[in-house]
Amino acid sequence: MIPSKLIDEKGLRVDGRKPEDMRSYKIEVGILKNADGSAYIELGNTKVIVAVYGPREAHPKHIALPDRGVVRCRYSMASFSVAERKSPSPSRREIELSKVIREALEPAIFLEEFPRTVIDVYAEVLEADGGTRTASITAASVALADAGIPLRDLVAAIAVGKVENTLVVDLNGIEDQYGEGDMPVAMMPKLGYITLLQADGSFTPEEFERGLAMARQAIYRLYEGQKKALRRKYLEIAKEVSEGG
Ligand code: ADP
């Protein structure tokens, strides 16, 4: 159903949030046994699971580079992730987002330590309600850390958008569809480096600056959640080891 207003008279959004509020989120680490690293994220209704394999020998061999590792990324939306069945074959959008996600992660990885290898990152969107690329990036960096791959920093990401001339953080699906603009941002929060910045729609320079500051706030919150999730897993392992020994 198309809402008549995306911002009500009290300044609240369709799901009751204030403009600067992100959705509640949950991050879990190491949920897939077969993968070298894995993570699951829920951001509102958006749900993504990420598996990481590697660094491992590159196949086909010709993709290998002599001086650094290669990241291969596949972003994919499950057929049941949206109300109308999505075709399982990779769409142009999925191919583009696979590249966007890879480029947001690569600066964080010490790829020069793994020449001639490949790191595979698979992001599977189980439910899509806005912000799937940013949720995939946030979960993927946790999965890379879970795989024991040395990172300069984690990467956390969120989208800021414009709906009814108001800047809002963490667009949901309806806001993404009917809003005036969407600006996904990914950062290495501790280092303060931006690894992804896209803008769809139009933002004035002032809106752009303000949007970026709003994204940064949300990214710092996600960063805390990422670190907590990683810590939780390793505390559980430490407990198992001490109980076993
Ligand atoms: P992101 O998920 O990163 O915001 P887009 O801006 O391309 O990426 O998509 C916004 C939202 O549009 C998605 O999160 C999803 O809710 C919806 N969407 C994307 N592709 C489809 C599709 N094939 N069918 C229905 N909804 C879709």
Side-chain angles (χ1 to χ4, degrees):
M1 200 181 63
I2 305 171
S4 56
K5 279 179 83 53
L6 292 174
I7 304 277
D8 72 10
E9 53 291 342
K10 292 188 193 135
L12 299 179
R13 297 155 68 179
V14 282
D15 51 13
R17 281 183 289 160
K18 292 188 199 128
E20 64 278 16
D21 289 346
M22 59 185 288
R23 293 173 285 184
S24 58
Y25 72 92
K26 174 168 117 179
I27 300 173
E28 285 174 30
V29 181
I31 41 163
L32 300 173
K33 276 270 178 284
N34 285 346
D36 294 320
S38 57
Y40 169 73
I41 186 164
E42 270 181 32
L43 186 64
N45 298 327
T46 290
K47 300 180 179 70
V48 183
I49 190 162
V50 177
V52 166
Y53 286 84
R56 59 185 175 181
E57 198 178 330
H59 287 293
K61 278 204 160 49
H62 68 82
I63 68 161
L65 295 175
D67 57 344
R68 56 172 225 132
V70 168
V71 180
R72 206 161 34 184
C73 179
R74 199 196 69 185
Y75 161 99
S76 162
M77 274 190 10
S79 296
F80 55 81
S81 65
V82 284
E84 194 153 320
R85 176 183 176 274
K86 191 215 143 270
S87 155
S89 55
S91 62
R92 286 182 57 158
R93 174 178 169 274
E94 287 169 300
I95 294 166
E96 181 197 329
L97 291 194
S98 299
K99 174 177 181 285
V100 162
I101 294 165
R102 172 173 60 73
E103 289 178 348
L105 296 169
E106 277 172 337
I109 309 171
F110 285 98
L111 287 170
E112 58 279 15
E113 289 187 16
F114 305 101
R116 289 180 288 277
T117 67
V118 62
I119 296 170
D120 282 302
V121 178
Y122 300 96
E124 295 289 327
V125 177
L126 304 180
E127 188 164 359
D129 187 23
T132 61
R133 84 191 64 194
T134 49
S136 299
I137 292 166
T138 303
S141 84
V142 172
L144 287 165
D146 183 41
I149 295 170
L151 302 174
R152 291 180 174 84
D153 194 359
L154 292 168
V155 184
I158 202 87
V160 173
K162 192 159 74 167
V163 297
E164 289 167 9
N165 249 336
T166 307
L167 285 180
V168 297
V169 175
D170 187 21
L171 301 164
N172 62 33
I174 288 177
E175 291 173 329
D176 195 305
Q177 199 177 345
Y178 300 106
E180 295 116 63
D182 173 18
M183 193 168 97
V185 182
M187 276 182 73
M188 290 194 259
K190 194 174 68 189
L191 299 176
Y193 294 156
I194 292 172
T195 65
L196 166 78
L197 183 53
Q198 296 182 288
D200 188 6
S202 64
F203 295 89
T204 64
E206 189 275 326
E207 284 169 342
F208 178 81
E209 289 289 336
R210 203 150 44 88
L212 202 52
M214 289 165 87
R216 192 174 274 128
Q217 288 296 320
I219 282 171
Y220 287 139
R221 277 196 52 202
L222 280 170
Y223 189 46
E224 291 310 311
Q226 288 176 307
K227 288 189 290 185
K228 233 182 247 168
L230 283 163
R231 225 175 283 134
R232 206 179 309 127
K233 173 174 171 187
Y234 288 97
L235 286 176
E236 276 166 24
I237 292 175
K239 194 163 160 244
E240 274 170 32
V241 169
S242 70
E243 281 169 2

